[in-house]
Amino acid sequence: MTYKELYQIKKSKIEKIKYQMLYFSEFDYRILKDVLYLTKQGKFKKTVNDVIIMADTETSKSRKNPYIKQKDGTIKYIPVSNYVVAWTLSINLYGYNLVTLYGRKPSDLVNTIWKIHHTMSGESTYIFFHNLSYDWVFLRTFFIGQ
């Protein structure tokens, strides 16, 4: 059986599933078990899961930046750190939007990514982040600690 034929069979199976927006713990990750993977040629052969995953976080400050009025009349703002208040992760499989998962804690996002990747059979999974350089500031501790 060719890859195209297998792709069409898997696609027809996935298209029967209605798109949903779910809290990350309510999703049946077993759906991703049969995701096809592609083999990347190069010095070392590597398999990549044939899925599109997009992620984003929303952050907020715990309070407004306090300030101190200087003797010369200028205002000096005291920095307040931001933190993640929500995240979303969308999965597109075989050209079909399967699900959007959401949660609140960055540790849940990292655990969800880990679970998705390890459910599929490929060695690598590509995830597209909206503004990764900004999100990385909040997520790096959770990714590196895993």
Side-chain angles (χ1 to χ4, degrees):
M1 184 175 290
T2 67
Y3 182 83
K4 280 188 175 185
E5 292 170 335
L6 193 54
Y7 182 92
Q8 288 302 324
I9 291 169
K10 301 269 186 183
K11 182 178 179 179
S12 64
K13 184 179 174 183
I14 291 296
E15 287 176 334
K16 293 176 184 172
I17 300 171
K18 185 179 176 188
Y19 169 80
Q20 296 178 352
M21 184 167 188
L22 295 171
Y23 190 67
F24 73 96
S25 62
E26 297 172 1
F27 180 61
D28 182 8
Y29 293 89
R30 293 176 296 177
I31 293 170
L32 302 174
K33 187 177 181 184
D34 295 327
V35 170
L36 296 174
Y37 59 84
L38 305 168
T39 303
K40 287 214 156 203
Q41 299 297 325
K43 188 173 182 180
F44 303 102
K45 284 188 178 181
K46 172 171 119 171
T47 58
V48 179
N49 292 310
D50 192 10
V51 61
I52 298 172
I53 301 175
M54 298 140 302
D56 189 20
T57 64
E58 298 300 326
T59 59
S60 179
K61 292 182 179 179
S62 56
R63 54 191 162 90
K64 287 185 178 180
N65 280 14
Y67 60 89
I68 300 171
K69 229 177 196 183
Q70 304 286 330
K71 290 181 182 177
D72 62 359
T74 60
I75 295 175
K76 179 183 177 185
Y77 285 95
I78 302 168
V80 175
S81 60
N82 292 1
Y83 62 99
V84 173
V85 294
W87 57 266
T88 60
L89 185 139
S90 297
I91 301 173
N92 182 298
L93 192 53
Y94 310 125
Y96 178 74
N97 291 329
L98 181 65
V99 67
T100 297
L101 304 174
Y102 65 90
R104 296 186 60 93
K105 298 189 309 189
S107 59
D108 292 336
L109 173 59
V110 173
N111 290 332
T112 299
I113 290 170
W114 185 90
K115 192 170 188 176
I116 288 169
H117 172 69
H118 285 87
T119 301
M120 298 182 286
S121 55
E123 296 169 328
S124 298
T125 304
Y126 296 146
I127 301 171
F128 301 91
F129 272 84
H130 176 261
N131 201 358
L132 177 60
S133 60
Y134 184 77
D135 290 340
W136 183 248
V137 171
F138 303 101
L139 298 175
R140 65 182 169 206
T141 306
F142 300 95
F143 273 111
I144 294 169
Q146 291 292 322

